[in-house]
Each structure stands twice: as structure tokens, then as C-alpha cells.
Amino acid sequence: MKSEPELRAAVKASREEGFRQIFQQYSGYVYAIVWNRISGVGTREDAEECVSDIFSDIFLQFDRIEEGKLQSYIRTVTKRTAIDKFRSLSASPDTVSIEEQEMQEVLSELDVEQEHDAADLRKVLLDKINALGEPDASIVMMKYFYELKSDQIAKTVHMSPAAVRMRLSRAMKRLKNLLNDEK
Amino acid sequence: MKQCITMGLLKQVDSVTEERIADEFPPPWDMEVLYQKSFQKYLQKAEETPVCISRHRRMPYQIIGTAACLLLIVGLGVGIWSRQSKIDVKPPEPSTVPVATDANTESRETETALQETQAVSTIVSISTTVQDMSEPLPAVLPTESDIAESVSAAPETVPEVTQTEPALETDAPVVVPTEPVTPESSAAPTEAPTEEQPVISEEQINGFRVERYSNYRKIVCTDAFPTPDGTLRSYSMDDDSLELVGTAEVPAAEPVRTYEIRDPETGKTFTVTQREYAEFALNVEEGELIDIGLGRVHGFFLLQGENCTLYWFCEGEGFCVSGDTADLGSFMTIVRSFTPAEN
């Protein structure tokens, strides 16, 4: 992980190489935020389009970003652009995404207390997913957060799709046991 | 369903969890192609953006431009004034248009009111499950703040149907029964009302055209279907929470296949029916709720009382699954996990 002065020096030496380093450092963060916002209404291609828009804006405005503010600028632009993308993708007011409905069914009618409970549950869930270790934790997140199919996951982790499915099935059983132990 | 509920917590998480996932579980796949795309966009934008505007040369052009605008405005004003002063004022002619009768006026008002009501929403969302999302940045659900409320059409009492099929012919213009079809997988299509009814309104949503008639609606898939070739692709389930326990070829004039899918936790079984289509349309009674916002899925969802039917389409083939509204979550899992079987 490079510091901001290092990134700025890299951009000064070569814009393309410097921007590549910025991209490599922050693309994961940006993609995760964008995907979380638009996964209910958009595709992976929409998410990649949004990510490329965000970074092209960052590169364009780079010289105007104050020293020490690069990370917070990236965070702000990411969230703002992701929300705009979500609004443009769900532009029709007459339809409701079924995924939103599922989410509502899962979380039922939310109030502040229930939101707090859901946030606590997520914290526990992520702790247990972390406890699975690699590559199981990554496989579980790619499946259930990033919503990749087995063959797409297989390419990333260099396994066969069948091996990914087997691994996922075992990881889910372990996760279930870990969650039961937590109770 | 503990497992499903637990993993469902990872969908559209709150901002604190979002930050944690972004830091601890960023996507691990290669994004070099995405970087190239971003860099090219940056170069394009950089070319389009003017670097600077010379302030030294701005003033004379500004003055000339302002003067030209003023001259134009003055010239227009003078021209209009001079024309007005030359126009002869003619006495008003007695109107020859027949005065509208009460009946005509009433029917026009009724039609206007009907069109206005329909213009608000031709598609009725599933009203029981839509909440008013008014927070600008809700912590958990980043949904649009002004989702329109559904039109209040109370669902009419319709016969309960456990499994409905869109009855249609692949070659002839599509006709579909307005009454629910009895649950036979090879039921012959019954014809819709033969008299031509005028379309009151149409709306295009996500690859479907919804035509509104006087007492029913018609959903038409506007995809260009490939010519049916009499074969169906095989599919499998790419999800461990549901099992594909069997497939069957249904004897019928056109190829029809069913997939039996079981939820091992509840023991429930769902039947997905696969057909080939040249075109697709479905008549829906007023009062039955439709939702054509299935996110990435090219399909729609039909609610008839406590029963629901999900239709979706992929490359000229259509699928449908029916059951209780409570099984909606399983239906969406099926839709997302249904993938062409590996050879």
C-alpha cells in the first residue's frame, strides 16, 4: 500500500504509470462500494462502467486535489457516482426490484433498532467468514456478495468449477457451525 | 432457511459494513482491462476539456456579443410593435362549433380521467411490500427516495391457481386466456376474446411492452426471438441451497421440458417449465399485480391472490415457475442460478 506522496511522485514521473498505481490501490475499494449500491438494479458491466467513470474523473481532477486529500476525495466521488448510477438504473418509478423486495423480506420492516441488529449480525458474519481462511473466505464473498457464478470464481482462484462448488459447500457447512457456536 | 437468511445479510449492506468489505474483501480478480478503459476515458475527457480561456481576448468578443444580442432584441421588439399597430381588429365571428352535449362531455371527461389515472402507473407494483423510501442515503437500503406509490387497484378475487402457464403458439399471433389455465403442463391454449379492442395506453419497460385495454392488460416481450428450431438447451442449478432433482420432456406439439428443483431444508419442490418461443404475450386481468423490475433478470412477476408466477427469458427460450408468494426468494435463487449445463 503506497502513501499519497509516493503516488503523487509516481504520477509526476509518468502519468500513465502513476495513475495505474492509484487504480491498483483503490480499484478494489471502489468496485466494492459501487457493487454494493447497484447490485440490486445493475449488472457487473454497469458496475465496471461506473468504476471506469469514477477513475477517469479522478485522473482528470488529480492536479486539483489537495495534498493529503486523495483518499477522502476518492471515497466521496465513489459514493456520489454510485448513488447517481443507482438512480439512473432504477429510473422507472413504476417498478420495484424483486431483489429489493427480498431484502425487505429478509430484514422485514426496519426501524433504528432493527438496523442496528442487522449491522451487528453482519459484523459477526464477516468475522466468521474471515475465520474460514483463504481461499474459502474469498470464494464465499465472491459468491454471496459479488454474486459471481462458479465458473467465474474458478478462473480467479485457478480451480475447476466443480472444485469451487465443493469448496463452497464445505465452507458453508463450516460457517454454519461457526455461527451456531457463536450462539 | 437460516443459511439463506444469513447470506442475505450480504446484499446491499449498510455503509459501515460496506467500508469493511471494501477494505477486507476487495474483488480479487484482475482489473487491468478496466484500468485501460478508465485511462482511455480520461484521455478523451482531457481532450474535450478546454485547458484555459485567454482572458486578454475575452473582453472585445464579450462586448460585441452583448451588443449584437441587444440589437436583436430591440429589432424584434420594433418589428412586433409595428406589426401590431397595422393589424385590423375584426369583430369576433359567431361560433359554429356545436356545443357539447352532456353525454359527450361526460364521456370525454371519463376518458380523460381514465387516461390520467392510467398515466400515473400502468404497472402496479406489489403494493404490500413496497415501503416509502424517503431517506436520501439510507444505511441499509440505498433505494430511490421517490419510488411512486402503487395504484390502489385492489386485487380482484380470482380463482387460486397453483401453476399457470402462458398458453401460446409459436407461429400464430399470440393469444392467451384471460382466465387462469388449469394446471396441466400440456394444456391447449384457449383463445382470448376475438373482437379487436382498442389499446388505451402502452408502456415500454425493460424489454416488455404493457398494453392496457378496457378490462385487461397484455404483456408483450419485445425481444427479437430467434427462429424456433425444435430444440431446448439443457440447464442446471449453480447454487447449493437448491437441488435439481429431475428433468422431464413433456409430450406436446412443441418441445417443453420441466425441471424439478427441491429445497433440502424445507422439502419444498418447485417446477420450472422451459419452452421455446417465437414471440410471447400474456393477458393479465385488471387487479392482478405485475412487476417488471427484476433487476438483471429479463422477466416479470405476476401475483394472483396468494399465488405468484415468475416468467423469464433467455435467448428465445422462456421459463416459468409458480407457487406461493412466500417462495419468492426461492424463485429468485432459481432464476439467478439457472445456467446452461456444461457439456
Short mmCIF file of all heavy atoms in Angstrom, two decimals, chain B residues 160-201:
data_model
loop_
_atom_site.label_atom_id
_atom_site.label_comp_id
_atom_site.label_asym_id
_atom_site.label_seq_id
_atom_site.Cartn_x
_atom_site.Cartn_y
_atom_site.Cartn_z
N GLU B 160 -57.79 -19.43 -7.34
CA GLU B 160 -56.41 -19.69 -6.98
C GLU B 160 -55.82 -20.69 -7.96
O GLU B 160 -56.42 -21.69 -8.27
CB GLU B 160 -56.34 -20.26 -5.58
CG GLU B 160 -54.99 -20.14 -4.94
CD GLU B 160 -55.06 -20.48 -3.49
OE1 GLU B 160 -55.81 -19.80 -2.77
OE2 GLU B 160 -54.42 -21.44 -3.08
N VAL B 161 -54.64 -20.39 -8.41
CA VAL B 161 -54.00 -21.28 -9.39
C VAL B 161 -52.65 -21.66 -8.85
O VAL B 161 -51.88 -20.82 -8.43
CB VAL B 161 -53.81 -20.55 -10.74
CG1 VAL B 161 -53.09 -21.44 -11.73
CG2 VAL B 161 -55.17 -20.15 -11.28
N THR B 162 -52.35 -22.92 -8.80
CA THR B 162 -51.05 -23.32 -8.27
C THR B 162 -49.98 -23.28 -9.32
O THR B 162 -48.84 -23.12 -9.05
CB THR B 162 -51.12 -24.73 -7.70
OG1 THR B 162 -51.60 -25.59 -8.73
CG2 THR B 162 -52.06 -24.78 -6.52
N GLN B 163 -50.34 -23.45 -10.56
CA GLN B 163 -49.34 -23.42 -11.62
C GLN B 163 -49.99 -22.92 -12.89
O GLN B 163 -50.83 -23.60 -13.45
CB GLN B 163 -48.78 -24.81 -11.83
CG GLN B 163 -47.55 -24.83 -12.69
CD GLN B 163 -46.84 -26.14 -12.63
OE1 GLN B 163 -47.16 -26.98 -11.82
NE2 GLN B 163 -45.87 -26.33 -13.49
N THR B 164 -49.62 -21.75 -13.34
CA THR B 164 -50.18 -21.23 -14.58
C THR B 164 -49.12 -21.26 -15.65
O THR B 164 -47.95 -21.13 -15.38
CB THR B 164 -50.66 -19.78 -14.42
OG1 THR B 164 -49.55 -18.98 -14.02
CG2 THR B 164 -51.74 -19.69 -13.39
N GLU B 165 -49.54 -21.46 -16.87
CA GLU B 165 -48.62 -21.48 -17.99
C GLU B 165 -49.08 -20.46 -19.00
O GLU B 165 -50.27 -20.31 -19.23
CB GLU B 165 -48.64 -22.85 -18.67
CG GLU B 165 -48.35 -24.01 -17.73
CD GLU B 165 -46.88 -24.00 -17.33
OE1 GLU B 165 -46.07 -23.40 -18.05
OE2 GLU B 165 -46.55 -24.58 -16.29
N PRO B 166 -48.17 -19.75 -19.62
CA PRO B 166 -48.60 -18.89 -20.72
C PRO B 166 -48.92 -19.75 -21.92
O PRO B 166 -48.03 -20.35 -22.51
CB PRO B 166 -47.40 -18.00 -20.98
CG PRO B 166 -46.24 -18.78 -20.49
CD PRO B 166 -46.74 -19.70 -19.41
N ALA B 167 -50.19 -19.87 -22.24
CA ALA B 167 -50.55 -20.73 -23.37
C ALA B 167 -50.30 -19.96 -24.64
O ALA B 167 -50.81 -18.86 -24.81
CB ALA B 167 -52.03 -21.11 -23.25
N LEU B 168 -49.50 -20.49 -25.55
CA LEU B 168 -49.29 -19.77 -26.79
C LEU B 168 -48.80 -20.71 -27.85
O LEU B 168 -48.36 -21.81 -27.58
CB LEU B 168 -48.29 -18.62 -26.60
CG LEU B 168 -46.97 -19.00 -25.97
CD1 LEU B 168 -45.94 -19.27 -27.05
CD2 LEU B 168 -46.48 -17.84 -25.13
N GLU B 169 -48.93 -20.22 -29.08
CA GLU B 169 -48.45 -20.96 -30.25
C GLU B 169 -47.24 -20.25 -30.77
O GLU B 169 -47.17 -19.03 -30.76
CB GLU B 169 -49.55 -20.99 -31.31
CG GLU B 169 -50.86 -21.57 -30.76
CD GLU B 169 -52.04 -21.16 -31.63
OE1 GLU B 169 -51.81 -20.51 -32.67
OE2 GLU B 169 -53.16 -21.46 -31.28
N THR B 170 -46.31 -21.00 -31.24
CA THR B 170 -45.07 -20.36 -31.64
C THR B 170 -45.19 -19.66 -32.97
O THR B 170 -44.43 -18.79 -33.28
CB THR B 170 -43.93 -21.38 -31.72
OG1 THR B 170 -44.37 -22.42 -32.58
CG2 THR B 170 -43.65 -21.96 -30.36
N ASP B 171 -46.13 -20.05 -33.81
CA ASP B 171 -46.20 -19.46 -35.15
C ASP B 171 -47.29 -18.41 -35.26
O ASP B 171 -47.09 -17.33 -35.76
CB ASP B 171 -46.46 -20.55 -36.19
CG ASP B 171 -45.26 -21.47 -36.31
OD1 ASP B 171 -44.14 -20.97 -36.18
OD2 ASP B 171 -45.46 -22.67 -36.48
N ALA B 172 -48.47 -18.73 -34.78
CA ALA B 172 -49.60 -17.82 -34.95
C ALA B 172 -49.45 -16.63 -34.01
O ALA B 172 -48.67 -16.66 -33.08
CB ALA B 172 -50.90 -18.58 -34.65
N PRO B 173 -50.20 -15.57 -34.30
CA PRO B 173 -50.20 -14.44 -33.35
C PRO B 173 -50.59 -14.96 -31.98
O PRO B 173 -51.44 -15.80 -31.83
CB PRO B 173 -51.27 -13.50 -33.91
CG PRO B 173 -51.38 -13.86 -35.34
CD PRO B 173 -51.02 -15.31 -35.47
N VAL B 174 -49.96 -14.41 -30.97
CA VAL B 174 -50.11 -14.98 -29.63
C VAL B 174 -51.47 -14.62 -29.06
O VAL B 174 -51.85 -13.47 -29.02
CB VAL B 174 -49.01 -14.44 -28.71
CG1 VAL B 174 -49.19 -14.99 -27.32
CG2 VAL B 174 -47.66 -14.83 -29.27
N VAL B 175 -52.17 -15.61 -28.58
CA VAL B 175 -53.41 -15.34 -27.84
C VAL B 175 -53.30 -16.10 -26.53
O VAL B 175 -52.80 -17.21 -26.48
CB VAL B 175 -54.67 -15.79 -28.62
CG1 VAL B 175 -54.89 -14.89 -29.80
CG2 VAL B 175 -54.53 -17.22 -29.11
N VAL B 176 -53.75 -15.50 -25.50
CA VAL B 176 -53.61 -16.12 -24.18
C VAL B 176 -54.93 -15.99 -23.45
O VAL B 176 -55.59 -14.98 -23.55
CB VAL B 176 -52.51 -15.40 -23.37
CG1 VAL B 176 -52.28 -16.09 -22.05
CG2 VAL B 176 -51.23 -15.35 -24.17
N PRO B 177 -55.31 -17.00 -22.69
CA PRO B 177 -56.58 -16.90 -21.96
C PRO B 177 -56.48 -15.87 -20.86
O PRO B 177 -55.45 -15.70 -20.24
CB PRO B 177 -56.78 -18.29 -21.38
CG PRO B 177 -55.41 -18.86 -21.31
CD PRO B 177 -54.67 -18.28 -22.48
N THR B 178 -57.56 -15.15 -20.64
CA THR B 178 -57.56 -14.20 -19.54
C THR B 178 -57.85 -14.90 -18.23
O THR B 178 -57.51 -14.44 -17.18
CB THR B 178 -58.62 -13.10 -19.75
OG1 THR B 178 -59.88 -13.76 -19.95
CG2 THR B 178 -58.31 -12.30 -20.99
N GLU B 179 -58.52 -16.04 -18.28
CA GLU B 179 -58.75 -16.81 -17.06
C GLU B 179 -57.51 -17.66 -16.82
O GLU B 179 -56.88 -18.10 -17.76
CB GLU B 179 -59.96 -17.74 -17.24
CG GLU B 179 -61.27 -17.01 -17.47
CD GLU B 179 -61.70 -16.24 -16.24
OE1 GLU B 179 -61.38 -16.67 -15.13
OE2 GLU B 179 -62.33 -15.19 -16.40
N PRO B 180 -57.17 -17.94 -15.57
CA PRO B 180 -56.03 -18.81 -15.31
C PRO B 180 -56.25 -20.19 -15.89
O PRO B 180 -57.36 -20.71 -15.85
CB PRO B 180 -55.95 -18.88 -13.79
CG PRO B 180 -56.70 -17.69 -13.33
CD PRO B 180 -57.76 -17.41 -14.35
N VAL B 181 -55.23 -20.76 -16.44
CA VAL B 181 -55.34 -22.08 -17.05
C VAL B 181 -55.23 -23.12 -15.96
O VAL B 181 -54.48 -22.97 -15.01
CB VAL B 181 -54.19 -22.26 -18.07
CG1 VAL B 181 -54.26 -23.62 -18.72
CG2 VAL B 181 -54.26 -21.16 -19.11
N THR B 182 -56.00 -24.20 -16.09
CA THR B 182 -55.90 -25.28 -15.10
C THR B 182 -54.51 -25.89 -15.17
O THR B 182 -53.92 -25.93 -16.24
CB THR B 182 -56.95 -26.37 -15.35
OG1 THR B 182 -56.79 -26.79 -16.71
CG2 THR B 182 -58.35 -25.83 -15.14
N PRO B 183 -54.00 -26.36 -14.06
CA PRO B 183 -52.59 -26.81 -14.03
C PRO B 183 -52.33 -28.11 -14.76
O PRO B 183 -52.24 -29.16 -14.17
CB PRO B 183 -52.28 -26.95 -12.55
CG PRO B 183 -53.61 -27.15 -11.91
CD PRO B 183 -54.62 -26.41 -12.74
N GLU B 184 -52.29 -28.02 -16.09
CA GLU B 184 -51.83 -29.15 -16.89
C GLU B 184 -50.66 -28.65 -17.69
O GLU B 184 -50.75 -27.63 -18.35
CB GLU B 184 -52.92 -29.61 -17.86
CG GLU B 184 -54.17 -30.19 -17.15
CD GLU B 184 -55.30 -30.41 -18.14
OE1 GLU B 184 -55.02 -30.45 -19.35
OE2 GLU B 184 -56.43 -30.49 -17.71
N SER B 185 -49.58 -29.35 -17.62
CA SER B 185 -48.39 -28.81 -18.27
C SER B 185 -48.52 -28.75 -19.76
O SER B 185 -47.90 -27.98 -20.43
CB SER B 185 -47.18 -29.64 -17.88
OG SER B 185 -47.44 -30.98 -18.21
N SER B 186 -49.37 -29.58 -20.37
CA SER B 186 -49.51 -29.53 -21.82
C SER B 186 -50.87 -29.00 -22.22
O SER B 186 -51.46 -29.44 -23.19
CB SER B 186 -49.28 -30.91 -22.41
OG SER B 186 -50.21 -31.82 -21.83
N ALA B 187 -51.44 -28.10 -21.45
CA ALA B 187 -52.79 -27.59 -21.72
C ALA B 187 -52.82 -26.88 -23.05
O ALA B 187 -51.93 -26.12 -23.38
CB ALA B 187 -53.22 -26.63 -20.62
N ALA B 188 -53.87 -27.16 -23.82
CA ALA B 188 -54.01 -26.49 -25.11
C ALA B 188 -54.37 -25.05 -24.86
O ALA B 188 -55.12 -24.72 -23.95
CB ALA B 188 -55.11 -27.18 -25.93
N PRO B 189 -53.83 -24.15 -25.62
CA PRO B 189 -54.14 -22.74 -25.39
C PRO B 189 -55.59 -22.45 -25.71
O PRO B 189 -56.13 -22.95 -26.70
CB PRO B 189 -53.21 -22.01 -26.35
CG PRO B 189 -52.84 -23.00 -27.38
CD PRO B 189 -52.93 -24.34 -26.76
N THR B 190 -56.24 -21.69 -24.88
CA THR B 190 -57.60 -21.25 -25.18
C THR B 190 -57.50 -19.85 -25.73
O THR B 190 -56.61 -19.09 -25.39
CB THR B 190 -58.48 -21.23 -23.92
OG1 THR B 190 -57.85 -20.37 -22.95
CG2 THR B 190 -58.58 -22.62 -23.34
N GLU B 191 -58.42 -19.50 -26.57
CA GLU B 191 -58.28 -18.25 -27.29
C GLU B 191 -58.79 -17.09 -26.45
O GLU B 191 -59.75 -17.21 -25.70
CB GLU B 191 -59.06 -18.31 -28.60
CG GLU B 191 -58.42 -19.27 -29.59
CD GLU B 191 -59.09 -19.21 -30.95
OE1 GLU B 191 -60.08 -18.46 -31.07
OE2 GLU B 191 -58.63 -19.90 -31.85
N ALA B 192 -58.15 -15.99 -26.59
CA ALA B 192 -58.56 -14.74 -25.94
C ALA B 192 -59.76 -14.20 -26.67
O ALA B 192 -60.12 -14.67 -27.75
CB ALA B 192 -57.41 -13.76 -25.97
N PRO B 193 -60.43 -13.19 -26.15
CA PRO B 193 -61.57 -12.58 -26.85
C PRO B 193 -61.18 -12.20 -28.26
O PRO B 193 -60.13 -11.62 -28.50
CB PRO B 193 -61.86 -11.31 -26.03
CG PRO B 193 -61.28 -11.59 -24.70
CD PRO B 193 -60.18 -12.57 -24.87
N THR B 194 -62.03 -12.60 -29.24
CA THR B 194 -61.61 -12.41 -30.62
C THR B 194 -61.86 -11.00 -31.12
O THR B 194 -61.26 -10.55 -32.05
CB THR B 194 -62.36 -13.38 -31.55
OG1 THR B 194 -63.76 -13.20 -31.29
CG2 THR B 194 -61.99 -14.82 -31.23
N GLU B 195 -62.80 -10.27 -30.49
CA GLU B 195 -63.07 -8.94 -31.02
C GLU B 195 -61.91 -8.02 -30.69
O GLU B 195 -61.32 -8.09 -29.62
CB GLU B 195 -64.37 -8.38 -30.47
CG GLU B 195 -64.48 -8.51 -28.95
CD GLU B 195 -65.82 -8.00 -28.47
OE1 GLU B 195 -65.95 -6.79 -28.26
OE2 GLU B 195 -66.71 -8.83 -28.32
N GLU B 196 -61.58 -7.18 -31.67
CA GLU B 196 -60.44 -6.28 -31.52
C GLU B 196 -60.80 -5.19 -30.54
O GLU B 196 -61.77 -4.48 -30.71
CB GLU B 196 -60.11 -5.64 -32.88
CG GLU B 196 -59.43 -6.58 -33.82
CD GLU B 196 -57.95 -6.68 -33.48
OE1 GLU B 196 -57.38 -5.68 -33.02
OE2 GLU B 196 -57.40 -7.75 -33.70
N GLN B 197 -60.02 -5.03 -29.49
CA GLN B 197 -60.25 -3.94 -28.56
C GLN B 197 -59.18 -2.90 -28.79
O GLN B 197 -58.04 -3.22 -29.02
CB GLN B 197 -60.17 -4.45 -27.13
CG GLN B 197 -61.32 -5.33 -26.75
CD GLN B 197 -61.43 -5.42 -25.24
OE1 GLN B 197 -60.98 -4.54 -24.53
NE2 GLN B 197 -62.04 -6.49 -24.78
N PRO B 198 -59.57 -1.62 -28.69
CA PRO B 198 -58.53 -0.60 -28.89
C PRO B 198 -57.60 -0.54 -27.69
O PRO B 198 -58.02 -0.71 -26.56
CB PRO B 198 -59.36 0.69 -29.02
CG PRO B 198 -60.63 0.41 -28.29
CD PRO B 198 -60.88 -1.05 -28.38
N VAL B 199 -56.33 -0.29 -27.98
CA VAL B 199 -55.36 -0.13 -26.89
C VAL B 199 -55.56 1.24 -26.26
O VAL B 199 -55.58 2.24 -26.95
CB VAL B 199 -53.91 -0.22 -27.44
CG1 VAL B 199 -52.91 0.02 -26.33
CG2 VAL B 199 -53.68 -1.57 -28.08
N ILE B 200 -55.70 1.27 -24.97
CA ILE B 200 -55.92 2.54 -24.29
C ILE B 200 -54.57 3.24 -24.04
O ILE B 200 -54.44 4.44 -24.23
CB ILE B 200 -56.65 2.32 -22.95
CG1 ILE B 200 -58.05 1.78 -23.23
CG2 ILE B 200 -56.71 3.61 -22.14
CD1 ILE B 200 -58.79 1.30 -22.03
N SER B 201 -53.58 2.45 -23.63
CA SER B 201 -52.26 3.03 -23.46
C SER B 201 -51.21 1.93 -23.55
O SER B 201 -51.54 0.76 -23.44
CB SER B 201 -52.14 3.75 -22.11
OG SER B 201 -52.24 2.81 -21.07
#
